[in-house]
Amino acid sequence: MCGIFAYLNYNATRERRHIVELLFNGLRRLEHRGYDSAGISIDADPFRAPLTVSSGAVLPSPPPLLFRQEGKIEKLVSSFYHEAVVAELDLELSFTSHAGIAHTRWATHGEPSPINSHPQTSGEGNEFLVVHNGIITNYMDLKETLLKYGFHFESDTDTEVIPKLAKFVHDSLNEDLGSDGGDKQVVPFTQIVMDVMRQLEGAYALVFKSPYYPNELVACKRGSPLLLGVKETGDMRTDINVESDLSAEGHHGKPKEYYLASDANAIVEHTRRVLVIEDNEVVHMKDGAVHIFKFDSDKSRRLLRPASVQRGLSTLEMEVEQIRKGNFEHFMQKEIHEQPDSLTMTMRGRLIRGGEQKAKGILLGGLKDYLKTMRRSRRILFIGCGTSYNAALAARPVVEELSGIPVTMEIASDLLDRQGPIYREDTAIFVSQSGETADTLQALEYAKSNGALCVGITNTVGSAIARGTHCGIHLNAGCEIGVASTKAYTSQIAVIVMLALLDKDMKELAALLMDEQSLLVFGRGYNYATALECALKVKEVSLMHAEGIVAGEMKHGPLALVDETLPIIVIATGDASLNKQQSVIQQLKARKGRLIVMCTEGDAEFMCPDRTCRIIEVPKVHDCLQPIINIVPLQLLAYHLTVFRGFNVDQPRNLAKSVTTQ
């Protein structure tokens, strides 16, 4: 849920102001991952006298500077420049090599505050600094142990144990090897990080910085996403040997810049050449080279040289324009309007044309080797969270109809809590926009351990779910930055006619509803999922209570809420449930319900002959695809409601994009 960004320039002279602004801009690109506090760490002036810390160790370079602030990133930016003036920090000072780390936080342990912000520190002298995305589940046990060794804790975070543990490991190893931690450094940075990893339980992506290892960074991950971007200054050739580019040999003198980030959004404007760091890999940037090691959890091997890994770079398939708002006020608004293009991209190359250019079939290359196995399945399980779950729920009826195979819906966290039965004859389909959702990832491991065929549907190439499943489909919907997912939900069919026709109507409807406290949404059949997704979007961004209800349950409780003040949306487009929904409308009207009816174009008179309902008319398509059309005006409604109510559309309260913690 948090956002990590780090920047290391080697043999490429950069002013401190440039470095700081680059770190701030990296955080801006990641603010959708968390926005309740933020921080950065940069190098102090190199000519300052070395510091002797309380343990007696002499730092070989000055302690790094640490800046942290509660609130959004711009508050950190303002406070940094204020502190820089007060401390007379030279922003024009140049660094030939420099390592900086940055973090934007979504609070899990401890309220938003400067002391709970990252980077978290080992204490005096900032001997070890860490930025972290994830949750350390055994942090209380580690904290109790470190307290016995005399460590003092300042924050309420789970992360603070990591830099303190790094200091403990560093001091212990150097004591064992007879080093005082000064100039004769004998313990590799990676050794310290791996020893720390052996003690950690949970999910994490980590970047370490230390004055004992100037101009070095070490990154590692287990469960949370992390990418490395590589740029050779002035040399962006595409024919470069990527294997040797990541080796330790022969590249020390070239100017290089390295970028670490939780999301490709923060890297693409600097370089397209990236490495997706795998679980249990440790990446060490030093002297213009990248060394990659495979983490070994065997504690008996702690002083042996870890196994190195040879990896190649890949190319980011995204454009810089995708991470900018363009002419739109908010990313959510932009992404709603991008749906025609994103849906075209989703279908491109996947429709098999027949006579007269009519589609006669579908080609999904990622599944072709597993289709026979899927057809023999005893059942299909759709597994996801939030909007991804709702998208799968919308597709369930047509999958059952066309495949003849029973389809089961599972919320990932509930499946894990129940340890629900999964069999070798099952096909488990994991749906996740980011491909990194923590609960969905754990459910994937659970399904694999039970022998099921695992299929991924994600919008992120190279994500953990894309790599961890047997086969899968990439949505090709383009990146989403707004926290409330929109275009990923509808990446099934074109909706171009919807936007221009309905945006004005939805804005007018939102103006009428902006002061309401609650909203009910009734759907059934194919559109039960539409009702759930509409209610979720309204709750997420406008902070209005909303509830999606299957219409068949109306008389089993919800009808008691109906009066002339409560706004109710009824989705009643042309499908097999139409007559039942018309009956629902009549029953709600009999109780003076304040109705908003979504119907197919031309059906308004039939659905509400006395014209007492507010009507939303949508184009008619095949009934199994109608939910894709129906959700668009409801997304627009949620967007305009949020704007009218004065809330931040792209950064809803208490939420963040890509839930990578449980």
Side-chain angles (χ1 to χ4, degrees), residues 174-230:
N174 277 289
E175 184 178 340
D176 292 344
L177 297 172
S179 170
D180 63 359
D183 294 335
K184 294 182 179 179
Q185 182 64 51
V186 293
V187 180
F189 203 174
T190 50
Q191 182 66 59
I192 293 169
V193 171
M194 288 190 182
D195 269 22
V196 169
M197 291 174 70
R198 289 187 179 98
Q199 309 303 321
L200 301 180
E201 297 175 7
Y204 55 79
L206 304 169
V207 180
F208 291 76
K209 174 179 170 64
S210 171
Y212 291 117
Y213 306 92
N215 307 321
E216 298 182 36
L217 291 176
V218 176
C220 61
K221 72 173 288 279
R222 183 188 295 160
S224 297
L226 196 61
L227 291 87
L228 168 69
V230 178

Side-chain angles (χ1 to χ4, degrees), residues 332 483-484 536-544 635 638-639 641-643 645 647-653 655:
M332 182 179 178
V483 169
L536 178 62
K537 283 293 155 284
V538 170
K539 280 185 286 194
E540 276 185 320
V541 292
S542 76
L543 309 188
M544 176 192 290
Q635 290 173 342
Y639 169 77
L641 265 175
T642 308
V643 173
R645 289 164 68 91
F647 298 118
N648 190 320
V649 174
D650 292 329
Q651 297 172 358
R653 186 175 68 194
L655 300 179

Side-chain angles (χ1 to χ4, degrees), residues 8-11 97 190 214-219 228-232 242-260 275 282-293 305 309-311 313:
L8 189 153
N9 55 298
Y10 169 77
N11 207 18
S97 297
T190 50
N215 307 321
E216 298 182 36
L217 291 176
V218 176
L228 168 69
V230 178
K231 178 180 178 182
E232 289 192 357
V242 295
E243 294 291 342
S244 64
D245 188 56
L246 283 181
S247 73
E249 306 297 333
H251 290 266
H252 298 283
K254 289 185 177 181
K256 288 194 178 179
E257 294 171 279
Y258 297 113
Y259 309 85
L260 287 162
L275 173 79
V282 178
V283 178
H284 186 197
M285 285 144 281
K286 177 183 178 182
D287 296 335
V290 176
H291 309 256
I292 306 173
F293 303 100
R305 179 175 174 80
V309 178
Q310 194 78 4
R311 296 280 305 282
L313 296 171

Side-chain angles (χ1 to χ4, degrees), residues 590-605:
R591 289 157 179 83
K592 300 182 180 179
R594 185 180 168 192
L595 296 184
I596 302 157
V597 175
M598 174 179 284
C599 65
T600 306
E601 284 178 333
D603 283 354
E605 192 70 25

Side-chain angles (χ1 to χ4, degrees), residues 90 99 195 217 228 240 321 334 355 378 383 407 461 478 511 552 563 574 584-585 616 625:
D90 184 1
D195 269 22
L217 291 176
L228 168 69
I240 196 165
E321 288 71 21
K334 172 178 180 275
R378 60 183 289 176
I383 302 169
V407 176
V461 174
D563 60 23
V584 166
I585 292 169
I616 304 171
L625 299 175

Side-chain angles (χ1 to χ4, degrees), residues 86-313:
V86 172
E88 298 183 348
L89 190 64
D90 184 1
L91 297 179
E92 314 309 320
L93 182 65
S94 294
F95 294 82
T96 302
S97 297
H98 180 282
I101 59 177
H103 186 271
T104 181
R105 181 172 180 252
W106 185 78
T108 57
H109 294 70
E111 64 184 21
S113 68
I115 205 70
N116 286 333
S117 303
H118 298 207
Q120 283 289 304
T121 175
S122 58
E124 178 196 13
N126 294 332
E127 295 174 69
F128 288 90
L129 291 159
V130 170
V131 288
H132 170 214
N133 174 29
I135 287 182
I136 305 303
T137 55
N138 65 331
Y139 83 100
M140 286 301 298
D141 294 335
L142 294 172
K143 187 172 183 177
E144 289 179 11
T145 301
L146 291 167
L147 285 169
K148 293 176 182 177
Y149 281 94
F151 284 88
H152 300 283
F153 285 80
E154 299 177 331
S155 78
D156 299 317
T157 68
D158 56 327
T159 304
E160 192 178 1
V161 300
I162 302 173
K164 285 180 165 53
L165 186 57
K167 173 175 167 50
F168 176 76
V169 170
H170 170 269
D171 293 350
S172 300
L173 289 177
N174 277 289
E175 184 178 340
D176 292 344
L177 297 172
S179 170
D180 63 359
D183 294 335
K184 294 182 179 179
Q185 182 64 51
V186 293
V187 180
F189 203 174
T190 50
Q191 182 66 59
I192 293 169
V193 171
M194 288 190 182
D195 269 22
V196 169
M197 291 174 70
R198 289 187 179 98
Q199 309 303 321
L200 301 180
E201 297 175 7
Y204 55 79
L206 304 169
V207 180
F208 291 76
K209 174 179 170 64
S210 171
Y212 291 117
Y213 306 92
N215 307 321
E216 298 182 36
L217 291 176
V218 176
C220 61
K221 72 173 288 279
R222 183 188 295 160
S224 297
L226 196 61
L227 291 87
L228 168 69
V230 178
K231 178 180 178 182
E232 289 192 357
T233 306
D235 183 359
M236 291 301 291
R237 294 172 299 159
T238 57
D239 60 346
I240 196 165
N241 187 320
V242 295
E243 294 291 342
S244 64
D245 188 56
L246 283 181
S247 73
E249 306 297 333
H251 290 266
H252 298 283
K254 289 185 177 181
K256 288 194 178 179
E257 294 171 279
Y258 297 113
Y259 309 85
L260 287 162
S262 301
D263 197 307
N265 294 344
I267 292 178
V268 66
E269 60 190 316
H270 304 292
T271 179
R272 291 171 182 257
R273 304 170 68 237
V274 298
L275 173 79
V276 178
I277 301 173
E278 301 279 0
D279 278 357
N280 294 316
E281 284 186 343
V282 178
V283 178
H284 186 197
M285 285 144 281
K286 177 183 178 182
D287 296 335
V290 176
H291 309 256
I292 306 173
F293 303 100
K294 197 69 176 177
F295 168 65
D296 187 345
S297 60
D298 185 353
K299 296 182 181 180
S300 67
R301 296 176 54 83
R302 61 185 302 202
L303 293 179
L304 298 180
R305 179 175 174 80
S308 61
V309 178
Q310 194 78 4
R311 296 280 305 282
L313 296 171

